[in-house]
Amino acid sequence: MLITDDFLPVPVPESLSATYLVPTAGLPAVSARTAVRGLAGRLAEPVHGLARQMLDSPLMSVDVRPIGEFPALPPDLLTAFGAQEAQLDRLADASHLVVVQAEYRPGWPPAHEWAARAVAAAVAEAVGGDVVDVFGLQFLDPGAALRSLPDAQGRVRLVDWILVPYSSDAEGLWFTTKGLRRFGLLELQTQGVPDHLTRAWGAVMTGAARRLLRDWTDGLAGDEVPAFVQLPVLATVTGHDIAVAYGNPEQHGATPPVLLRLELDPATDPEADSFLSLRPPAGHPGPAGRYFATACATLFAGIQPDVRYARSGDAMSRAVATARAGLGDIRARFRTGHLPPETQLVVKYGLPGDDGPEYVWATVLTWDTPERITGASASDANTDPTVRIGSPVVIETTDVVDWAVLDGTGVTEGGWTQAVLDAGNPSDRPA
């Protein structure tokens, strides 16, 4: 095996397995084969055929067991990963579990996961029940589970297969992925992420997972399963990687790539997991958190500072008026948690300058009173050396000229002034 400073050898497991459960009140009235046949015409090939073939092979087993014979599922963890009260109630009332298990070699396609999820979803749909993904400790609605499987073009959304939980420690936020082991790859982690990058870094981790999973499966494409796959030490992540991972490839922007250094962090405890850590490139000056903030600013381009300002009556003035008219509503939605999942709210505000105001963006952290916003700068200001990426800022709402809601692909709502700037209207530039 060739080992160089440019590549990191990552061990490959001999085989992979998937386990899905369908809780039922009493014995199920339908067999797995009958349920899967009922998906004909609804489930794209090759997944439908794959599920039927694996059902008839020793690679898959479907058993019905009294629920007491299966280890109890922890309700606190299920809740942490999104379980609803009604789903937990149905689990508590269940007398039996349909246990779907499958094994397959590492590589693409991940036949064990696709086939096991398809069979479990078919059974759950037939009995009006839920799917429990044992690996992710998640409840899945049968319809959502079926939609997560490849479409007719073989496309899947990686966000349907991995989670990116995080926790806080003295150095900042600790992010991990949960789901790459489905495909045989070690999970990713990043430590020391600034608190204000909660949603943005989750999207970056998802994009990085997509890029590394592609390299991983390329290394497994041969007839024989290798002992190691060599992954690039300097992993690149682009806006396209993030957009594809979220299932919106047509929405990606032409953002420059961001480099992240990949390091193997082996577990010291035999019972614990090893990780692939994402860190700034070697030689990067300053704290890692600043690099992560810069990476987010690069990947979510379109939220950039500018020194252009509006004149009365032009398109920019109308954009500012539109944005300001919606401040009350967006504040209410932010405070009540009614923004879409995996999004963040940013505002644009003016800093005084000799040639007119400089407008910069900041991530909203708190907005307790209508008059004042506490945030973290999303960019370095030209006119104020204290305003740097990630630095805390206090913003008077009267200075706000725009706001936007961002997800992993960019602006999903708002951003009226940026739309005017991107259109290149000459009247919106200073004389």
Side-chain angles (χ1 to χ4, degrees):
M1 176 181 59
L2 178 64
I3 300 178
T4 72
D5 292 339
D6 297 327
F7 292 91
L8 181 69
V10 179
V12 180
E14 293 183 2
S15 65
L16 301 173
S17 63
T19 301
Y20 290 84
L21 309 177
V22 181
T24 62
L27 294 172
V30 63
S31 70
R33 287 178 175 78
T34 300
V36 170
R37 282 199 298 269
L39 296 179
R42 296 176 51 207
L43 192 61
E45 296 296 348
V47 180
H48 187 231
L50 180 67
R52 288 186 286 110
Q53 290 171 17
M54 291 194 73
L55 265 174
D56 293 328
S57 80
L59 296 174
M60 177 179 285
S61 64
V62 180
D63 300 314
V64 180
R65 304 182 194 172
I67 196 166
E69 293 182 5
F70 200 87
L73 296 169
D76 54 340
L77 289 179
L78 289 168
T79 301
F81 289 121
Q84 300 174 5
E85 187 174 346
Q87 293 169 326
L88 293 172
D89 289 343
R90 287 193 290 271
L91 177 62
D93 292 339
S95 62
H96 290 77
L97 293 173
V98 180
V99 183
V100 182
Q101 295 180 302
E103 292 188 7
Y104 203 64
R105 56 162 278 176
W108 199 263
H112 59 298
E113 284 286 351
W114 288 359
R117 183 174 286 198
V119 171
V123 172
E125 187 177 69
V127 301
D130 306 301
V131 178
V132 180
D133 171 13
V134 173
F135 182 95
L137 280 177
Q138 276 189 299
F139 276 95
L140 301 175
D141 171 81
L146 292 172
R147 287 192 296 273
S148 72
L149 295 166
D151 62 14
Q153 285 73 46
R155 298 172 300 191
V156 294
R157 300 191 327 155
L158 189 58
V159 291
D160 292 329
W161 296 89
I162 71 167
L163 302 170
V164 187
Y166 64 91
S167 59
S168 182
D169 59 26
E171 298 180 358
L173 298 178
W174 173 35
F175 282 81
T176 61
T177 59
K178 184 175 178 61
L180 289 178
R181 283 187 178 275
R182 299 179 190 273
F183 312 104
L185 182 59
L186 297 178
E187 302 292 355
L188 305 181
Q189 71 171 358
T190 309
Q191 294 174 292
V193 179
D195 290 350
H196 71 279
L197 297 179
T198 301
R199 289 171 176 163
W201 196 254
V204 174
M205 290 279 286
T206 305
R210 183 259 174 184
R211 172 57 64 97
L212 289 170
L213 183 58
R214 181 174 163 182
D215 293 338
W216 175 255
T217 53
D218 285 347
L220 296 171
D223 292 335
E224 298 294 330
V225 177
F228 294 86
V229 167
Q230 302 235 42
L231 295 179
V233 168
L234 280 180
T236 58
V237 184
T238 66
H240 177 70
D241 292 315
I242 296 172
V244 171
Y246 280 83
N248 299 306
E250 70 284 352
Q251 295 183 14
H252 75 89
T255 61
V258 164
L259 294 177
L260 294 169
R261 179 164 49 96
L262 199 65
E263 290 188 1
L264 177 62
D265 280 327
T268 55
D269 182 348
E271 300 299 319
D273 292 332
S274 298
F275 285 96
L276 293 172
S277 291
L278 297 175
R279 296 190 170 99
H284 169 71
R290 174 163 289 190
Y291 184 84
F292 298 148
T294 303
C296 290
T298 299
L299 291 170
F300 302 116
I303 301 301
Q304 299 292 336
D306 64 81
V307 295
R308 293 166 276 195
Y309 57 92
R311 300 185 205 158
S312 177
D314 63 17
M316 184 62 80
S317 180
R318 293 190 294 272
V320 171
T322 301
R324 290 188 58 79
L327 284 174
D329 177 69
I330 196 63
R331 173 179 178 263
R333 290 165 56 198
F334 172 79
R335 286 179 52 78
T336 57
H338 286 163
L339 294 180
E342 306 299 327
T343 62
Q344 61 179 322
L345 176 63
V346 295
V347 293
K348 182 192 275 189
Y349 66 104
L351 294 171
D354 294 338
D355 298 321
E358 176 185 6
Y359 293 105
V360 293
W361 290 91
T363 302
V364 176
L365 300 181
T366 61
W367 199 345
D368 295 335
T369 65
E371 298 81 16
R372 189 169 291 108
I373 300 168
T374 300
S377 182
S379 57
D380 292 341
N382 296 324
T383 56
D384 188 340
T386 68
V387 178
R388 291 292 177 262
I389 291 176
S391 63
V393 290
V394 178
I395 305 161
E396 300 297 324
T397 308
T398 53
D399 293 332
V400 173
V401 297
D402 201 356
W403 56 267
V405 177
L406 306 180
D407 68 3
T409 63
V411 177
T412 63
E413 184 179 355
W416 293 274
T417 64
Q418 198 68 41
V420 173
L421 293 172
D422 292 343
N425 189 332
S427 68
D428 300 324
R429 295 186 172 88

